[in-house]
Amino acid sequence: MTDTPARLLNLLSLLQTPREWPGSELAERLDVSPRTIRRDIDRLRDLGYPVEATRGSVGGYRLVAGTAMPPLLLDDEEAVAIAVGLRAGAGHAIEGVDEASVRALAKLEQVLPSRLRHRVSTLQNATMPLTRGDGSTIDPRTLTVMASAITGRERLRFAYRAGDGAETKREAEPYRLVSTGWRWYLVAYDLGRSDWRTFRVDRVSEPFATGARFAPRELPTGDAAEFLAGSIARSRPEMEVDVSFAAPAEFVSARLPTAVGPLEPTGGNSCRLRATLADSLEWVAVRLALVDCEFTVHEPPQLVDYLDGLGARLSRAAAR
């Protein structure tokens, strides 16, 4: 094999198999001399691939973990498996799958041959995951288009459906994608509104990068996750909550989201929560019930009324 680039790619493909390769076997596989193999190993090391050599009669070469992630060579089956896995995770906003996985998916799908993209789409369309939450799903292609526009600093156009069902066309400078564990959000500068906005990605359709470049603006508050949290809080009515629990503060705090705030110990086996929450009555009521201890709601009156009605419905359901 006299084509050096092609030979290096073949050598790298062999070394990515998790085993140790004797130099003589590599030379035989690639139809070159052992001296050529040694030179090619040095070339791979210069490119950042950590190839380890061992001496002796059974010595050889193997690829080991390094300080950086060099490019990988994937065969068709491996590429399809990775793309399907990333699509499944990204499309349902599974907890722990964040922007990094979307960037990886965007890079992979950019170089996938059309025949493999078709296989990935076919596999995904033929399967259905068991999801949690409200079941809102998104097309992974929407995420990859957005991720590519963010990386390339390209303006993005898309259709958006608001919570009340109103449909609008938007043009924006995308800043970051943020996953809350249940949903994906796009933080972007809305050119039509001349202001920063957050968009639920499951309400976005027909996104495409316009090709128009832009210089990134400075986000007015902290990072994208902090900005999103503030935006969500502003969109919900605030509620002053005062609740007493018949359990130690450590027990209760372990069963409530950290965002709820600190608990005030009121005795060895009791504590009290006084907090301002930007959540629905239904959510607060369910979270309190899941603490799994006796509690008393002092404020607000509407939460007391909602719990009274919820308790009556649950009692009737248990009686049946």
Side-chain angles (χ1 to χ4, degrees), residues 229-295:
S231 176
I232 293 175
R234 288 190 298 272
S235 67
R236 294 173 175 169
E238 291 188 343
M239 181 183 359
E240 299 291 335
V241 174
D242 185 357
V243 185
S244 295
F245 297 92
E250 295 80 6
F251 176 90
V252 176
S253 62
R255 288 159 176 78
L256 288 176
T258 55
V260 167
L263 292 159
E264 174 192 349
T266 55
N269 288 299
S270 63
C271 61
R272 192 158 184 165
L273 171 67
R274 294 184 177 93
T276 301
L277 303 180
D279 288 295
S280 66
L281 283 173
E282 295 84 358
W283 185 91
V284 175
V286 170
R287 292 304 309 188
L288 292 175
L290 291 176
V291 172
D292 198 23
C293 72
E294 297 294 324
F295 64 92

Side-chain angles (χ1 to χ4, degrees), residues 110-187:
Q110 183 178 0
V111 297
L112 277 181
S114 58
R115 70 179 190 281
L116 296 187
R117 283 199 299 270
H118 176 71
R119 286 179 60 186
V120 171
S121 298
T122 300
L123 278 170
Q124 188 180 29
N125 292 336
T127 59
M128 178 176 292
L130 179 63
T131 58
R132 300 181 298 173
D134 62 4
S136 60
T137 59
I138 50 181
D139 187 340
R141 286 173 295 182
T142 299
L143 285 173
T144 56
V145 168
M146 290 180 172
S148 297
I150 291 168
T151 302
R153 298 179 179 177
E154 292 184 60
R155 289 181 178 177
L156 194 67
R157 286 181 185 165
F158 53 90
Y160 190 69
R161 175 179 50 82
D164 59 5
E167 300 274 355
T168 54
K169 297 289 186 180
R170 304 294 184 97
E171 183 171 2
E173 296 174 353
Y175 183 76
R176 288 289 187 276
L177 283 165
V178 181
S179 171
T180 64
W182 303 106
R183 292 193 180 99
W184 283 98
Y185 289 84
L186 172 68
V187 176

Side-chain angles (χ1 to χ4, degrees), residues 71-98:
L72 297 176
L73 291 179
L74 302 172
D75 63 26
D76 286 3
E77 300 302 326
E78 293 165 343
V80 168
I82 292 173
V84 169
L86 289 172
R87 275 190 169 203
H92 297 279
I94 295 173
E95 186 175 0
V97 178
D98 55 14

Side-chain angles (χ1 to χ4, degrees), residues 192-267:
R193 275 71 175 171
S194 299
D195 199 3
W196 289 92
R197 292 288 190 271
T198 59
F199 302 94
R200 271 180 52 173
V201 177
D202 59 298
R203 293 177 178 170
V204 170
S205 59
E206 306 169 26
F208 71 94
T210 65
R213 305 286 178 176
F214 65 90
R217 303 171 191 262
E218 185 176 350
L219 199 63
T221 306
D223 59 16
E226 184 180 343
F227 181 83
L228 173 64
S231 176
I232 293 175
R234 288 190 298 272
S235 67
R236 294 173 175 169
E238 291 188 343
M239 181 183 359
E240 299 291 335
V241 174
D242 185 357
V243 185
S244 295
F245 297 92
E250 295 80 6
F251 176 90
V252 176
S253 62
R255 288 159 176 78
L256 288 176
T258 55
V260 167
L263 292 159
E264 174 192 349
T266 55

